[in-house]
Short mmCIF file of all heavy atoms in Angstrom, two decimals:
data_model
loop_
_atom_site.label_atom_id
_atom_site.label_comp_id
_atom_site.label_asym_id
_atom_site.label_seq_id
_atom_site.Cartn_x
_atom_site.Cartn_y
_atom_site.Cartn_z
N GLN A 1 0.81 -1.22 0.00
CA GLN A 1 0.00 0.00 0.00
C GLN A 1 0.85 1.27 0.00
O GLN A 1 0.71 2.11 -0.90
CB GLN A 1 -0.94 -0.01 1.22
CG GLN A 1 -1.96 -1.14 1.17
CD GLN A 1 -2.87 -1.15 2.39
OE1 GLN A 1 -2.44 -0.98 3.54
NE2 GLN A 1 -4.15 -1.37 2.16
N PHE A 2 1.73 1.42 1.00
CA PHE A 2 2.41 2.70 1.15
C PHE A 2 3.44 2.94 0.04
O PHE A 2 3.47 4.02 -0.56
CB PHE A 2 3.07 2.79 2.53
CG PHE A 2 3.56 4.17 2.87
CD1 PHE A 2 2.71 5.25 2.85
CD2 PHE A 2 4.89 4.39 3.23
CE1 PHE A 2 3.16 6.54 3.16
CE2 PHE A 2 5.35 5.66 3.54
CZ PHE A 2 4.48 6.73 3.50
N LEU A 3 4.28 1.96 -0.25
CA LEU A 3 5.27 2.15 -1.32
C LEU A 3 4.60 2.36 -2.68
O LEU A 3 5.00 3.27 -3.43
CB LEU A 3 6.25 0.99 -1.36
CG LEU A 3 7.38 1.05 -0.31
CD1 LEU A 3 8.18 -0.25 -0.31
CD2 LEU A 3 8.31 2.23 -0.56
N PRO A 4 3.58 1.58 -3.05
CA PRO A 4 2.88 1.88 -4.31
C PRO A 4 2.23 3.27 -4.30
O PRO A 4 2.19 3.94 -5.34
CB PRO A 4 1.82 0.77 -4.40
CG PRO A 4 2.42 -0.37 -3.65
CD PRO A 4 3.16 0.27 -2.50
N PHE A 5 1.72 3.70 -3.14
CA PHE A 5 1.14 5.05 -3.04
C PHE A 5 2.21 6.11 -3.31
O PHE A 5 1.97 7.08 -4.04
CB PHE A 5 0.55 5.23 -1.64
CG PHE A 5 0.29 6.66 -1.24
CD1 PHE A 5 -0.72 7.39 -1.82
CD2 PHE A 5 1.09 7.27 -0.28
CE1 PHE A 5 -0.95 8.72 -1.46
CE2 PHE A 5 0.87 8.59 0.09
CZ PHE A 5 -0.15 9.32 -0.50
N LEU A 6 3.41 5.94 -2.74
CA LEU A 6 4.48 6.89 -2.99
C LEU A 6 4.89 6.88 -4.46
O LEU A 6 5.18 7.94 -5.04
CB LEU A 6 5.69 6.57 -2.11
CG LEU A 6 5.51 6.72 -0.60
CD1 LEU A 6 6.81 6.37 0.12
CD2 LEU A 6 5.07 8.13 -0.23
N ARG A 7 4.91 5.70 -5.05
CA ARG A 7 5.27 5.60 -6.47
C ARG A 7 4.25 6.34 -7.34
O ARG A 7 4.61 6.97 -8.33
CB ARG A 7 5.36 4.13 -6.87
CG ARG A 7 5.87 3.90 -8.28
CD ARG A 7 6.35 2.48 -8.50
NE ARG A 7 5.33 1.49 -8.16
CZ ARG A 7 5.44 0.59 -7.20
NH1 ARG A 7 6.51 0.54 -6.45
NH2 ARG A 7 4.48 -0.28 -6.97
N GLU A 8 2.99 6.29 -6.94
CA GLU A 8 1.93 6.97 -7.70
C GLU A 8 1.90 8.47 -7.40
O GLU A 8 1.75 9.29 -8.31
CB GLU A 8 0.59 6.33 -7.34
CG GLU A 8 -0.62 7.03 -7.92
CD GLU A 8 -1.92 6.47 -7.36
OE1 GLU A 8 -1.94 5.29 -6.92
OE2 GLU A 8 -2.92 7.20 -7.34
N GLU A 9 2.05 8.83 -6.13
CA GLU A 9 1.89 10.22 -5.71
C GLU A 9 3.12 11.08 -6.00
O GLU A 9 3.02 12.28 -6.21
CB GLU A 9 1.58 10.25 -4.21
CG GLU A 9 1.02 11.57 -3.69
CD GLU A 9 -0.42 11.81 -4.08
OE1 GLU A 9 -1.09 10.86 -4.55
OE2 GLU A 9 -0.87 12.94 -3.94
N ARG A 10 4.30 10.48 -5.93
CA ARG A 10 5.57 11.16 -6.18
C ARG A 10 5.71 12.44 -5.35
O ARG A 10 5.87 13.54 -5.89
CB ARG A 10 5.72 11.49 -7.67
CG ARG A 10 5.93 10.27 -8.54
CD ARG A 10 7.32 9.72 -8.33
NE ARG A 10 7.51 8.44 -9.04
CZ ARG A 10 8.64 7.77 -9.07
NH1 ARG A 10 9.71 8.23 -8.43
NH2 ARG A 10 8.74 6.63 -9.71
N PRO A 11 5.68 12.34 -4.01
CA PRO A 11 5.87 13.53 -3.18
C PRO A 11 7.31 14.01 -3.26
O PRO A 11 8.21 13.29 -3.71
CB PRO A 11 5.53 13.04 -1.77
CG PRO A 11 5.87 11.59 -1.80
CD PRO A 11 5.52 11.12 -3.19
N ASP A 12 7.54 15.23 -2.80
CA ASP A 12 8.89 15.79 -2.78
C ASP A 12 9.66 15.38 -1.54
O ASP A 12 10.89 15.50 -1.50
CB ASP A 12 8.81 17.32 -2.87
CG ASP A 12 8.14 17.78 -4.15
OD1 ASP A 12 8.73 17.57 -5.22
OD2 ASP A 12 7.03 18.33 -4.08
N LEU A 13 8.93 14.93 -0.50
CA LEU A 13 9.57 14.58 0.77
C LEU A 13 8.64 13.67 1.56
O LEU A 13 7.42 13.86 1.55
CB LEU A 13 9.87 15.84 1.58
CG LEU A 13 10.44 15.68 2.99
CD1 LEU A 13 11.81 15.03 2.96
CD2 LEU A 13 10.51 17.04 3.69
N VAL A 14 9.22 12.68 2.25
CA VAL A 14 8.48 11.81 3.17
C VAL A 14 9.09 11.95 4.55
O VAL A 14 10.32 11.90 4.70
CB VAL A 14 8.52 10.34 2.73
CG1 VAL A 14 7.79 9.45 3.74
CG2 VAL A 14 7.91 10.17 1.34
N ILE A 15 8.25 12.14 5.57
CA ILE A 15 8.71 12.20 6.96
C ILE A 15 8.06 11.07 7.74
O ILE A 15 6.84 10.91 7.73
CB ILE A 15 8.37 13.56 7.61
CG1 ILE A 15 9.17 14.69 6.96
CG2 ILE A 15 8.64 13.52 9.12
CD1 ILE A 15 8.84 16.07 7.52
N LEU A 16 8.87 10.28 8.43
CA LEU A 16 8.42 9.24 9.35
C LEU A 16 8.82 9.70 10.75
O LEU A 16 9.99 9.65 11.13
CB LEU A 16 9.07 7.90 8.99
CG LEU A 16 8.81 6.68 9.87
CD1 LEU A 16 7.35 6.52 10.20
CD2 LEU A 16 9.35 5.42 9.21
N ALA A 17 7.82 10.16 11.51
CA ALA A 17 8.09 10.92 12.73
C ALA A 17 8.16 10.06 13.99
O ALA A 17 7.53 10.37 15.01
CB ALA A 17 7.03 12.02 12.90
N GLY A 18 8.96 9.01 13.95
CA GLY A 18 9.29 8.29 15.17
C GLY A 18 8.45 7.08 15.47
O GLY A 18 7.39 6.84 14.89
N ASP A 19 8.94 6.27 16.43
CA ASP A 19 8.38 4.97 16.78
C ASP A 19 8.25 4.10 15.54
O ASP A 19 7.19 3.54 15.23
CB ASP A 19 7.04 5.12 17.51
CG ASP A 19 7.22 5.50 18.97
OD1 ASP A 19 8.38 5.54 19.44
OD2 ASP A 19 6.21 5.75 19.66
N VAL A 20 9.36 4.00 14.84
CA VAL A 20 9.44 3.09 13.69
C VAL A 20 9.24 1.66 14.17
O VAL A 20 8.50 0.88 13.56
CB VAL A 20 10.80 3.24 12.99
CG1 VAL A 20 10.92 2.23 11.84
CG2 VAL A 20 11.02 4.65 12.50
N PHE A 21 9.88 1.31 15.28
CA PHE A 21 9.79 -0.03 15.86
C PHE A 21 9.00 0.01 17.16
O PHE A 21 8.84 1.07 17.77
CB PHE A 21 11.20 -0.58 16.11
CG PHE A 21 12.05 -0.65 14.87
CD1 PHE A 21 13.08 0.25 14.67
CD2 PHE A 21 11.80 -1.60 13.90
CE1 PHE A 21 13.87 0.19 13.54
CE2 PHE A 21 12.58 -1.67 12.75
CZ PHE A 21 13.62 -0.76 12.56
N ASP A 22 8.54 -1.16 17.58
CA ASP A 22 7.75 -1.21 18.81
C ASP A 22 8.63 -1.31 20.05
O ASP A 22 8.17 -1.02 21.15
CB ASP A 22 6.79 -2.40 18.75
CG ASP A 22 5.75 -2.33 19.85
OD1 ASP A 22 5.06 -1.30 19.94
OD2 ASP A 22 5.63 -3.31 20.64
N ARG A 23 9.87 -1.72 19.87
CA ARG A 23 10.78 -1.78 21.03
C ARG A 23 12.20 -1.55 20.55
O ARG A 23 12.51 -1.68 19.36
CB ARG A 23 10.66 -3.11 21.76
CG ARG A 23 10.81 -4.36 20.91
CD ARG A 23 10.49 -5.60 21.74
NE ARG A 23 10.69 -6.84 21.03
CZ ARG A 23 9.77 -7.44 20.30
NH1 ARG A 23 8.57 -6.86 20.18
NH2 ARG A 23 10.01 -8.59 19.70
N ALA A 24 13.05 -1.20 21.50
CA ALA A 24 14.41 -0.78 21.17
C ALA A 24 15.20 -1.87 20.45
O ALA A 24 15.94 -1.59 19.50
CB ALA A 24 15.15 -0.35 22.44
N ILE A 25 15.05 -3.12 20.89
CA ILE A 25 15.70 -4.24 20.21
C ILE A 25 14.62 -4.90 19.36
O ILE A 25 13.88 -5.78 19.82
CB ILE A 25 16.33 -5.22 21.21
CG1 ILE A 25 17.35 -4.49 22.09
CG2 ILE A 25 17.01 -6.37 20.48
CD1 ILE A 25 17.99 -5.35 23.15
N ALA A 26 14.52 -4.47 18.13
CA ALA A 26 13.44 -4.91 17.24
C ALA A 26 13.69 -6.32 16.73
O ALA A 26 14.84 -6.72 16.54
CB ALA A 26 13.31 -3.93 16.07
N PRO A 27 12.64 -7.10 16.49
CA PRO A 27 12.81 -8.44 15.93
C PRO A 27 13.33 -8.37 14.50
O PRO A 27 13.18 -7.36 13.81
CB PRO A 27 11.40 -9.04 15.98
CG PRO A 27 10.48 -7.87 16.06
CD PRO A 27 11.22 -6.79 16.78
N SER A 28 13.94 -9.47 14.04
CA SER A 28 14.60 -9.47 12.74
C SER A 28 13.64 -9.18 11.60
O SER A 28 13.99 -8.50 10.63
CB SER A 28 15.30 -10.81 12.51
OG SER A 28 14.37 -11.88 12.58
N GLY A 29 12.39 -9.68 11.69
CA GLY A 29 11.42 -9.43 10.64
C GLY A 29 11.10 -7.95 10.50
O GLY A 29 10.92 -7.44 9.39
N ALA A 30 11.03 -7.24 11.64
CA ALA A 30 10.77 -5.80 11.60
C ALA A 30 11.95 -5.06 10.99
O ALA A 30 11.76 -4.10 10.22
CB ALA A 30 10.50 -5.30 13.01
N LEU A 31 13.16 -5.49 11.32
CA LEU A 31 14.35 -4.85 10.75
C LEU A 31 14.41 -5.05 9.23
O LEU A 31 14.73 -4.12 8.49
CB LEU A 31 15.61 -5.43 11.40
CG LEU A 31 15.81 -5.10 12.89
CD1 LEU A 31 16.96 -5.92 13.45
CD2 LEU A 31 16.07 -3.62 13.09
N ARG A 32 14.07 -6.26 8.79
CA ARG A 32 14.09 -6.52 7.35
C ARG A 32 13.03 -5.69 6.63
O ARG A 32 13.28 -5.19 5.52
CB ARG A 32 13.87 -8.02 7.08
CG ARG A 32 15.10 -8.87 7.33
CD ARG A 32 14.91 -10.27 6.77
NE ARG A 32 13.88 -10.99 7.50
CZ ARG A 32 14.12 -11.80 8.53
NH1 ARG A 32 15.36 -11.97 8.96
NH2 ARG A 32 13.14 -12.43 9.14
N LEU A 33 11.87 -5.54 7.24
CA LEU A 33 10.82 -4.75 6.62
C LEU A 33 11.23 -3.29 6.49
O LEU A 33 11.03 -2.66 5.44
CB LEU A 33 9.52 -4.88 7.43
CG LEU A 33 8.32 -4.07 6.92
CD1 LEU A 33 8.00 -4.43 5.47
CD2 LEU A 33 7.11 -4.31 7.81
N PHE A 34 11.83 -2.75 7.54
CA PHE A 34 12.28 -1.36 7.49
C PHE A 34 13.39 -1.19 6.46
O PHE A 34 13.43 -0.19 5.71
CB PHE A 34 12.76 -0.91 8.87
CG PHE A 34 13.15 0.55 8.94
CD1 PHE A 34 12.27 1.54 8.56
CD2 PHE A 34 14.41 0.92 9.39
CE1 PHE A 34 12.63 2.88 8.63
CE2 PHE A 34 14.77 2.25 9.46
CZ PHE A 34 13.88 3.23 9.08
N ASP A 35 14.28 -2.16 6.39
CA ASP A 35 15.36 -2.11 5.41
C ASP A 35 14.81 -2.09 3.99
O ASP A 35 15.27 -1.32 3.13
CB ASP A 35 16.29 -3.31 5.61
CG ASP A 35 17.42 -3.33 4.60
OD1 ASP A 35 18.26 -2.42 4.61
OD2 ASP A 35 17.47 -4.28 3.79
N SER A 36 13.81 -2.93 3.73
CA SER A 36 13.22 -2.95 2.39
C SER A 36 12.48 -1.66 2.10
O SER A 36 12.45 -1.20 0.95
CB SER A 36 12.28 -4.15 2.24
OG SER A 36 11.13 -4.00 3.04
N PHE A 37 11.88 -1.05 3.13
CA PHE A 37 11.22 0.24 2.93
C PHE A 37 12.24 1.31 2.55
O PHE A 37 12.00 2.10 1.61
CB PHE A 37 10.48 0.64 4.21
CG PHE A 37 9.98 2.07 4.19
CD1 PHE A 37 8.98 2.47 3.33
CD2 PHE A 37 10.54 3.02 5.04
CE1 PHE A 37 8.53 3.78 3.29
CE2 PHE A 37 10.10 4.33 5.02
CZ PHE A 37 9.09 4.72 4.15
N LEU A 38 13.37 1.36 3.26
CA LEU A 38 14.41 2.33 2.93
C LEU A 38 14.88 2.14 1.49
O LEU A 38 15.05 3.12 0.74
CB LEU A 38 15.59 2.21 3.89
CG LEU A 38 15.34 2.54 5.36
CD1 LEU A 38 16.63 2.38 6.16
CD2 LEU A 38 14.79 3.94 5.54
N SER A 39 15.09 0.90 1.10
CA SER A 39 15.53 0.62 -0.27
C SER A 39 14.49 1.06 -1.28
O SER A 39 14.82 1.62 -2.33
CB SER A 39 15.82 -0.88 -0.44
OG SER A 39 16.85 -1.30 0.42
N GLY A 40 13.22 0.80 -0.95
CA GLY A 40 12.14 1.16 -1.87
C GLY A 40 12.01 2.65 -2.09
O GLY A 40 11.87 3.12 -3.22
N VAL A 41 12.07 3.42 -1.00
CA VAL A 41 11.96 4.88 -1.12
C VAL A 41 13.18 5.44 -1.84
O VAL A 41 13.07 6.33 -2.68
CB VAL A 41 11.79 5.53 0.26
CG1 VAL A 41 11.76 7.05 0.14
CG2 VAL A 41 10.50 5.05 0.92
N SER A 42 14.35 4.91 -1.50
CA SER A 42 15.58 5.37 -2.16
C SER A 42 15.52 5.11 -3.66
O SER A 42 15.93 5.94 -4.47
CB SER A 42 16.80 4.68 -1.55
OG SER A 42 17.98 5.08 -2.18
N ALA A 43 14.98 3.94 -4.05
CA ALA A 43 14.87 3.61 -5.47
C ALA A 43 13.93 4.56 -6.20
O ALA A 43 14.10 4.82 -7.39
CB ALA A 43 14.40 2.17 -5.63
N LEU A 44 12.94 5.08 -5.48
CA LEU A 44 12.02 6.04 -6.09
C LEU A 44 12.61 7.43 -6.20
O LEU A 44 12.03 8.30 -6.86
CB LEU A 44 10.72 6.09 -5.26
CG LEU A 44 9.86 4.82 -5.27
CD1 LEU A 44 8.71 4.94 -4.27
CD2 LEU A 44 9.32 4.54 -6.66
N GLY A 45 13.75 7.65 -5.53
CA GLY A 45 14.39 8.97 -5.59
C GLY A 45 13.69 10.03 -4.77
O GLY A 45 13.84 11.23 -5.05
#
């Protein structure tokens, strides 16, 4: 949903204002998801 929305909307800036993870030592699945999100947004420029 969110990455396709960004691809369609093409905003000039995205802000994620904290509490990316639910706890300080995040589980590996959450880390992988955030990593793929960073890659996805970066690929969109």
